[in-house]
Amino acid sequence: MQEHVRGGNRHRPGLWLMVFGGLLAAGFAIYAVLAAPDSTSGPLWIVAGWGALVFLYGVYRFIRGRSAVDHQRGGTDVNGV
């Protein structure tokens, strides 16, 4: 059984993860560098690292494309089709 996606193959699932993760990582990294004289910059690097992980997962999903478990109407299909 083939999955029919509306709009063809234009939709890449990781695009918004890349945008959000990149902005989050860059924003908090810049803020952590600016707040470096304070001793409170440690938690900022944790959030910047989390944003980098979200960005990397978005790159993976963008390159890989749709998964076999992505359901057309949201959620997942137990059978993997």
Side-chain angles (χ1 to χ4, degrees), residues 2-29:
Q2 284 190 339
E3 179 178 323
H4 298 286
V5 180
R6 279 189 312 196
N9 206 7
R10 294 183 326 216
H11 178 68
R12 302 302 276 185
L15 181 65
W16 289 110
L17 287 172
M18 286 182 356
V19 169
F20 177 72
L23 289 174
L24 191 71
F28 274 92

Side-chain angles (χ1 to χ4, degrees), residues 2-80:
Q2 284 190 339
E3 179 178 323
H4 298 286
V5 180
R6 279 189 312 196
N9 206 7
R10 294 183 326 216
H11 178 68
R12 302 302 276 185
L15 181 65
W16 289 110
L17 287 172
M18 286 182 356
V19 169
F20 177 72
L23 289 174
L24 191 71
F28 274 92
I30 290 171
Y31 188 63
V33 167
L34 294 177
D38 296 338
S39 63
T40 60
S41 65
L44 297 175
W45 286 112
I46 293 172
V47 177
W50 182 81
L53 289 175
V54 170
F55 175 78
L56 289 175
Y57 182 67
V59 168
Y60 167 74
R61 288 295 305 223
F62 187 78
I63 292 171
R64 186 170 184 273
R66 287 200 154 294
S67 174
V69 295
D70 286 338
H71 197 271
Q72 293 176 357
R73 293 183 213 123
T76 57
D77 184 12
V78 177
N79 297 326

